[in-house]
């Protein structure tokens, strides 16, 4: 795609300077949403590539609210880039911290940490994934934010597709980080949790191939199902899969262990308690030798 066609089509609002209309733009945004991430120590600008809320997984714990239909059903790239351009301008200038939503953010957290591609489904299913990643990277550069990370939060199901491989390569050149979901050890448990026809072997192969090229982060959500925590055998198998990825040359920067923190898709799913998270983090470190970090979850 030629560079010019990626330039956002900015539609100026006459007589109303940007800094006076950003509150309204937060509310009206359809694709770009800023959040305070205490975990990462700053603001994360989310980019939603699945406004239709369609996903190729149907995880039992999914926290996307699909009871309400979205008005926007497909990505409008020019509109998305206008929203991102505006948001990056607010973040780069620090004006975002004068808005009602962020004015109480403590000084230590008043920084932009990343642009995160996540949203309401699997971002790599977007057919122009490589083009949108390139356009967002260009905007980041233009705002003088070269050091800001671009984080792809993904279920790894599409890494073998050429448009995704190209997108990952662009991320590599622009402070990209891949956070890939892996939260099962056995085929049976994978299908129980993720409810997808995509084979577990495909996910494992994709993660291994991607991790051979760059260091990746693994995101693993574990939970109670019908009151039952994952079995010892399942957690051991999970550690075995991590070990196999590493043995095949995959570079894993960190294994993040977390649990449910918001209302899940299925009512029979509940969070692990803090001690279980701690124990699983210990197990991963001990069994695989990989760095691991735990994050607690409590349903509101
Ligand atoms: S992959 Fe993510 S968005 Fe898709 S169903 Fe699972 S948790 Fe939800």
């Amino acid at each position: 795609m030629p560079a010019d066609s990626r330039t956002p089509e900015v539609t100026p609002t006459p007589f109303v300077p940007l800094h006076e209309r950003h509150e309204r733009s937060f509310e009206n945004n359809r694709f770009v949403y800023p959040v305070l991430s205490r975990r990462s120590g700053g603001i994360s600008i989310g980019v939603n590539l699945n406004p239709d809320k369609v996903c190729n997984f149907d995880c039992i714990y999914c926290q996307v609210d699909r009871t309400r239909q979205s008005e926007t059903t497909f990505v409008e790239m020019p509109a998305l880039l206008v929203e991102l351009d505006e948001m990056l301008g607010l973040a780069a200038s620090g004006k975002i911290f004068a808005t009602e939503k962020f004015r109480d953010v403590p000084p230590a957290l008043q920084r932009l940490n990343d642009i995160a591609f996540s949203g309401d489904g699997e971002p790599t299913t977007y057919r122009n994934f490589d083009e949108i990643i390139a356009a967002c990277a260009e905007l980041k550069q233009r705002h003088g934010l070269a050091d800001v990370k671009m984080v792809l939060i993904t279920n790894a199901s599409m890494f073998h597709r050429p448009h995704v491989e190209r997108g990952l390569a662009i991320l590599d050149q622009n402070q990209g980080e891949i956070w890939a979901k892996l939260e099962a050890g056995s085929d049976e448990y994978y299908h129980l949790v993720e409810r997808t026809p995509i084979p577990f072997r495909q996910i494992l192969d994709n993660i291994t191939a991607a991790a051979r090229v760059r260091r990746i982060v693994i995101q693993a959500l574990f939970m109670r199902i019908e009151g039952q925590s994952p079995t010892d055998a399942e957690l051991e198998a999970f550690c075995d899969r991590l070990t196999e990825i590493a043995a095949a040359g995959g570079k894993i920067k960190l294994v993040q262990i977390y649990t449910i923190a918001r209302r899940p898709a299925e009512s029979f799913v509940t969070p692990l308690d803090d001690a279980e998270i701690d124990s699983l983090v210990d197990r991963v470190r001990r069994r695989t030798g990989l760095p691991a970090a735990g994050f607690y979850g409590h349903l509101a």
Side-chain angles (χ1 to χ4, degrees), residues 25-27 29-36 43-50 80 83-84 87 96 101-102 114-121 153 262:
S25 72
F26 281 8
E27 286 165 18
N29 276 6
R30 291 180 296 152
F31 307 104
V32 174
Y33 55 100
V35 293
L36 174 64
I43 298 288
S44 175
I45 295 178
V47 177
N48 185 4
L49 298 184
N50 306 89
L80 185 154
E83 290 181 11
L84 184 61
M87 199 61 70
I96 197 169
K101 181 169 178 171
F102 294 110
D114 60 77
I115 300 168
F117 298 87
S118 54
D120 294 336
I153 299 172
R262 281 183 285 156

Side-chain angles (χ1 to χ4, degrees), residues 55 57-59 61-64 66 119-122 155 181 194:
C55 189
F57 277 23
D58 180 22
C59 303
Y61 66 80
C62 185
Q63 291 156 43
V64 173
R66 294 195 171 86
D120 294 336
E122 171 49 39
N155 63 22
K181 176 203 284 289
E194 323 287 23

Side-chain angles (χ1 to χ4, degrees), residues 14 36 44 54 68 72 90 101 123 158 189 201 230 250 261 264 283 289:
L36 174 64
S44 175
V54 173
R68 280 184 299 169
T72 302
L90 288 173
K101 181 169 178 171
M158 305 281 285
Y189 192 76
R201 188 70 258 161
R283 184 194 294 255

Side-chain angles (χ1 to χ4, degrees), residues 84-96:
L84 184 61
D85 190 24
E86 195 168 276
M87 199 61 70
L88 289 175
L90 288 173
S93 64
K95 286 177 180 162
I96 197 169

